[in-house]
Structures are given as structure tokens and as C-alpha cells.
Amino acid sequence: MLRYPTKFLLLALPVLAAGCNQKITHTTAVAVDTAIVQPVIISEQVQFDSDDPAIWVNPQDASKSLVIGTDKATEGGLYVFDLQGKIQHNLVVKGLKRPNNVDVAYGLKLNGKATDIAITTERFTHKLRIFSLPDLKPVDNGGLPVFEGETAPEFRDLMGISIYTSKAGKMYAIVGRKTGPKDGTYLWQYLLTDDGTGHVKAELVRKFGQYSGKKEIEAIAVDNELGYIYYSDEQFGVRQYYADPEKGNEQLALFATTGFKEDHEGISIYKTSANEGYILVSDQGANQFHIFNRAGTAKNPYAHELLKIVKVSANHSDGSEVVNVPLNETFKHGLFVVMSDDKTFHYYRWEDIAGKKLKINR
């Protein structure tokens, strides 16, 4: 990979400490590689408008893992790709009413069987759509309505989705929307269970999440091991909350508030140990990712220091996802998938993103 001299930027990094209304600001030198990291694979094109990817790791054979991406259109769908970026036409789901984001989870009990699932938001029907993996068969009885009871129609237009699986095995869907209230109830969280017929049902368990009112909240990511939810309050920053609804709705951190050219978008978490790793946030207008420390500091676990900014060739990237396990000879240390606005998804090797500054799982 071609590299050029590294530049350093002095950035003020505000962090909102837990239980504190005062921002703590410190200044640090941040490495910005001027080289544009190139993908090793660019997927085949979707029909209309690529938007957000998820990665399903095949537990039997990692080399047969799948990338699932949304095609965001009125008659859109879920596209399924292999690790060479080839569309798996027998698995593609067509006819979804503007699907936005997608996530995957492992081991939801349906008919007593642990079932991996892909879940996507269908904006124009105000429903979650859920499909079993790897066969992409619907397990939702046609969709699960969410944001019920909202009087403003635009408050029901779904966008973001992420799944939290607790240590006790409970599975929750955290859902965002095109717009919503500023009173701390922008995101709704649903418990996913079997309805008794082998299909999924969703039970509302909480409403939470501050909103600046600047644009919208789409990108949501969950750290299952540490039990946190992160989401992009676009053009404002990244907010952090507990994922467990029993731990309350206190905002734990607000970071990534400076240095972004346009929208804060896709969030991905690369884990190097039980507690350590990196939080990657798309700086959409600049075609780059800001990479923050996952673990925080010894004094404040919610102080996510900016470590590095990486430029990528994916254009105007909205959604992204990363896994930290070896998949094949190409992706020995993990795979980072990034949406590009030319109807494709870009596949990057983690070591190309990490460079010399970040850790690599070996």
C-alpha cells in the first residue's frame, strides 16, 4: 500500500464525563495519514443506492462468511455478498420499502433452536424486518411495527438499527429514526423473543437518547462485551449510553464533537481484547474515519481519545462494519466494510487501516 508522510493535527477533544455536565477538554497530537487507503475488494453494485453493511461470520467455515448490505430505495432490498464481493443472487431479498440500516446477531432462540438473524429497518412501513441466517428467510410474520403511538408521521420513519445481546442471553433491538424529539426519547429499545410460533416478536422496554436537533440519528453501534451503545448525533457528536435498560438512561459520554467536515455517520468497533480496541466513526464529507480509543482512560472509562484519522477511497461513506477475526488468506486480521456512494461496498484489510499505530489481532 502506498504511503506518504504523516501529518499531525492539534485537536481539542471535548469529553462529557459520566454524571457531569461540564466538558473536559484536552489537546493532543493526532496522526493523519495523507495516503488514501485502498480496498482490496470492491463489491458488485446494488441496483439503486448502497447504504449500510453488516458482516455475518460463518461459525462453521469463516471463509464462507457473508456481507449483507442495504439497497436504500422505495423498492430496495438486502444484498448478500461473499468475501470476494460477489452478489449471492439466491439470497438477495427484494421488495423492501426503503431499507436503511442492517445488523446481525447470533443465537436468537426460535422454536427452541439458536438462530442467527439479520435485521433491517424498513422506513416507509415503519417496521423492522428480520431474516434468518445464512438462508435469508423471513422470521418476522411480515414485519414488526415500531414507534407505535407517535402522532407525528415523520417520527416513525425508521433509519438506524443495532442489536445488543446481554451476557444473560437476552437480545434487544435499538432503533433510530429520521427525526424525533429532543427530550431524551429519540431511540427506542425492544426485547426480541419467540412469539410461540418460531417467529420474532418485539416488546418495547425503554425510550432514551438525547438529540441535538441538528440533523438526525442514524448510525448506532453496540459493544456487547462492555455493555454500551454508541450513536452518531449527526453534525454534533457521538453519544454513549448503557445498553442494559436496567442500568438507566444516563448519558455516559459525548465525544467526537470537533474536526468533522460534515455528518457523523457509520460507527464500528474493532476489539483487541475484552476491554480494549477502537471505535471508528465515519467523517462522511471528508471520506475518512476518526478512530478513538475504546477503553477510555484509567481515571475515566468514558474518555475516548482520538488516536488516528484514516482516509479511505470509499466516497461519502454512510455505513460501515468491522470484525476482528481471521476470515481467509486475504483478511487474516479482520475485515472492515465501508459503503461507497457508487452503489458498492469496499472491503479493507484491518492491517491497512491500523497501519503502524493501531493494534492488530494475530
Short mmCIF file of all heavy atoms in Angstrom, two decimals, residues 191-214:
data_model
loop_
_atom_site.label_atom_id
_atom_site.label_comp_id
_atom_site.label_asym_id
_atom_site.label_seq_id
_atom_site.Cartn_x
_atom_site.Cartn_y
_atom_site.Cartn_z
N LEU A 191 -37.13 -5.73 23.25
CA LEU A 191 -36.70 -7.08 23.55
C LEU A 191 -37.22 -8.01 22.46
O LEU A 191 -38.42 -8.00 22.15
CB LEU A 191 -37.23 -7.52 24.91
CG LEU A 191 -36.94 -8.96 25.33
CD1 LEU A 191 -35.44 -9.18 25.52
CD2 LEU A 191 -37.71 -9.31 26.60
N LEU A 192 -36.33 -8.82 21.86
CA LEU A 192 -36.70 -9.74 20.80
C LEU A 192 -36.83 -11.16 21.37
O LEU A 192 -35.88 -11.65 21.98
CB LEU A 192 -35.67 -9.72 19.68
CG LEU A 192 -35.40 -8.36 19.02
CD1 LEU A 192 -34.33 -8.51 17.94
CD2 LEU A 192 -36.67 -7.76 18.44
N THR A 193 -37.97 -11.79 21.14
CA THR A 193 -38.19 -13.16 21.61
C THR A 193 -39.05 -13.91 20.61
O THR A 193 -39.58 -13.34 19.65
CB THR A 193 -38.89 -13.17 22.98
OG1 THR A 193 -40.13 -12.45 22.88
CG2 THR A 193 -38.02 -12.56 24.06
N ASP A 194 -39.19 -15.21 20.85
CA ASP A 194 -40.07 -16.06 20.05
C ASP A 194 -41.52 -15.79 20.43
O ASP A 194 -41.85 -15.71 21.61
CB ASP A 194 -39.70 -17.53 20.32
CG ASP A 194 -40.34 -18.50 19.34
OD1 ASP A 194 -41.49 -18.26 18.90
OD2 ASP A 194 -39.71 -19.52 19.03
N ASP A 195 -42.37 -15.65 19.42
CA ASP A 195 -43.79 -15.38 19.70
C ASP A 195 -44.58 -16.66 19.97
O ASP A 195 -45.80 -16.62 20.13
CB ASP A 195 -44.44 -14.60 18.55
CG ASP A 195 -44.58 -15.42 17.27
OD1 ASP A 195 -44.11 -16.58 17.22
OD2 ASP A 195 -45.14 -14.90 16.29
N GLY A 196 -43.88 -17.79 20.01
CA GLY A 196 -44.54 -19.07 20.24
C GLY A 196 -44.77 -19.88 18.98
O GLY A 196 -45.15 -21.06 19.05
N THR A 197 -44.49 -19.26 17.83
CA THR A 197 -44.68 -19.95 16.55
C THR A 197 -43.37 -20.04 15.75
O THR A 197 -43.40 -20.41 14.58
CB THR A 197 -45.73 -19.24 15.69
OG1 THR A 197 -45.20 -17.99 15.23
CG2 THR A 197 -47.02 -19.01 16.46
N GLY A 198 -42.26 -19.68 16.38
CA GLY A 198 -41.00 -19.68 15.66
C GLY A 198 -40.71 -18.39 14.94
O GLY A 198 -39.76 -18.31 14.15
N HIS A 199 -41.54 -17.37 15.18
CA HIS A 199 -41.31 -16.04 14.62
C HIS A 199 -40.93 -15.07 15.74
O HIS A 199 -41.17 -15.33 16.92
CB HIS A 199 -42.56 -15.54 13.89
CG HIS A 199 -42.93 -16.36 12.71
ND1 HIS A 199 -43.73 -17.49 12.80
CD2 HIS A 199 -42.62 -16.24 11.39
CE1 HIS A 199 -43.89 -18.02 11.59
NE2 HIS A 199 -43.22 -17.27 10.72
N VAL A 200 -40.35 -13.95 15.34
CA VAL A 200 -39.86 -12.98 16.31
C VAL A 200 -40.97 -12.00 16.69
O VAL A 200 -41.74 -11.54 15.84
CB VAL A 200 -38.66 -12.20 15.75
CG1 VAL A 200 -38.10 -11.24 16.80
CG2 VAL A 200 -37.56 -13.15 15.27
N LYS A 201 -41.04 -11.67 17.97
CA LYS A 201 -41.88 -10.57 18.43
C LYS A 201 -40.99 -9.55 19.13
O LYS A 201 -39.89 -9.89 19.61
CB LYS A 201 -42.99 -11.05 19.35
CG LYS A 201 -42.54 -11.57 20.70
CD LYS A 201 -43.73 -11.93 21.58
CE LYS A 201 -43.28 -12.44 22.95
NZ LYS A 201 -44.43 -12.78 23.82
N ALA A 202 -41.47 -8.31 19.20
CA ALA A 202 -40.69 -7.22 19.79
C ALA A 202 -41.51 -6.54 20.87
O ALA A 202 -42.64 -6.12 20.65
CB ALA A 202 -40.30 -6.21 18.71
N GLU A 203 -40.90 -6.42 22.06
CA GLU A 203 -41.55 -5.77 23.20
C GLU A 203 -40.77 -4.52 23.58
O GLU A 203 -39.57 -4.60 23.89
CB GLU A 203 -41.61 -6.73 24.38
CG GLU A 203 -42.15 -6.11 25.66
CD GLU A 203 -41.99 -7.00 26.87
OE1 GLU A 203 -41.53 -8.16 26.71
OE2 GLU A 203 -42.29 -6.54 27.98
N LEU A 204 -41.42 -3.37 23.58
CA LEU A 204 -40.77 -2.12 23.95
C LEU A 204 -40.37 -2.14 25.42
O LEU A 204 -41.20 -2.41 26.29
CB LEU A 204 -41.72 -0.94 23.69
CG LEU A 204 -41.20 0.45 24.05
CD1 LEU A 204 -40.01 0.83 23.20
CD2 LEU A 204 -42.32 1.49 23.90
N VAL A 205 -39.07 -1.85 25.69
CA VAL A 205 -38.59 -1.87 27.07
C VAL A 205 -38.08 -0.51 27.54
O VAL A 205 -38.01 -0.26 28.75
CB VAL A 205 -37.49 -2.93 27.28
CG1 VAL A 205 -38.04 -4.33 27.08
CG2 VAL A 205 -36.29 -2.69 26.35
N ARG A 206 -37.70 0.38 26.64
CA ARG A 206 -37.34 1.73 27.07
C ARG A 206 -37.23 2.68 25.89
O ARG A 206 -37.09 2.28 24.74
CB ARG A 206 -36.02 1.73 27.85
CG ARG A 206 -34.77 1.50 27.03
CD ARG A 206 -33.52 1.97 27.81
NE ARG A 206 -32.30 1.48 27.19
CZ ARG A 206 -31.09 1.92 27.49
NH1 ARG A 206 -30.92 2.84 28.42
NH2 ARG A 206 -30.02 1.42 26.90
N LYS A 207 -37.31 3.98 26.25
CA LYS A 207 -37.07 5.08 25.32
C LYS A 207 -35.96 5.93 25.93
O LYS A 207 -36.01 6.27 27.11
CB LYS A 207 -38.33 5.92 25.14
CG LYS A 207 -39.56 5.14 24.70
CD LYS A 207 -40.80 6.02 24.69
CE LYS A 207 -42.05 5.22 24.36
NZ LYS A 207 -43.28 6.08 24.36
N PHE A 208 -34.96 6.30 25.13
CA PHE A 208 -33.83 7.05 25.67
C PHE A 208 -33.11 7.77 24.53
O PHE A 208 -33.39 7.56 23.36
CB PHE A 208 -32.85 6.11 26.40
CG PHE A 208 -32.06 5.21 25.48
CD1 PHE A 208 -30.76 5.53 25.15
CD2 PHE A 208 -32.63 4.07 24.91
CE1 PHE A 208 -30.02 4.71 24.28
CE2 PHE A 208 -31.91 3.26 24.05
CZ PHE A 208 -30.61 3.58 23.74
N GLY A 209 -32.11 8.57 24.88
CA GLY A 209 -31.23 9.15 23.88
C GLY A 209 -31.45 10.61 23.59
O GLY A 209 -32.47 11.00 23.02
N GLN A 210 -30.47 11.44 24.00
CA GLN A 210 -30.52 12.87 23.72
C GLN A 210 -30.31 13.13 22.22
O GLN A 210 -29.67 12.35 21.52
CB GLN A 210 -29.45 13.60 24.52
CG GLN A 210 -29.69 13.59 26.03
CD GLN A 210 -30.93 14.35 26.43
OE1 GLN A 210 -31.25 15.38 25.85
NE2 GLN A 210 -31.64 13.85 27.43
N TYR A 211 -30.83 14.26 21.77
CA TYR A 211 -30.76 14.65 20.36
C TYR A 211 -30.54 16.15 20.27
O TYR A 211 -31.25 16.93 20.91
CB TYR A 211 -32.06 14.25 19.67
CG TYR A 211 -32.27 14.78 18.27
CD1 TYR A 211 -31.27 14.68 17.30
CD2 TYR A 211 -33.48 15.36 17.89
CE1 TYR A 211 -31.47 15.15 16.01
CE2 TYR A 211 -33.70 15.83 16.60
CZ TYR A 211 -32.69 15.72 15.67
OH TYR A 211 -32.90 16.19 14.39
N SER A 212 -29.55 16.55 19.48
CA SER A 212 -29.21 17.97 19.36
C SER A 212 -30.20 18.75 18.53
O SER A 212 -30.29 19.97 18.64
CB SER A 212 -27.82 18.10 18.72
OG SER A 212 -27.87 17.66 17.35
N GLY A 213 -30.91 18.05 17.63
CA GLY A 213 -31.81 18.74 16.72
C GLY A 213 -31.15 19.24 15.46
O GLY A 213 -31.80 19.83 14.59
N LYS A 214 -29.84 18.97 15.31
CA LYS A 214 -29.12 19.49 14.15
C LYS A 214 -29.51 18.78 12.85
O LYS A 214 -29.77 19.40 11.83
CB LYS A 214 -27.62 19.40 14.37
CG LYS A 214 -27.06 20.44 15.32
CD LYS A 214 -25.56 20.34 15.44
CE LYS A 214 -25.00 21.49 16.25
NZ LYS A 214 -25.11 22.79 15.56
#
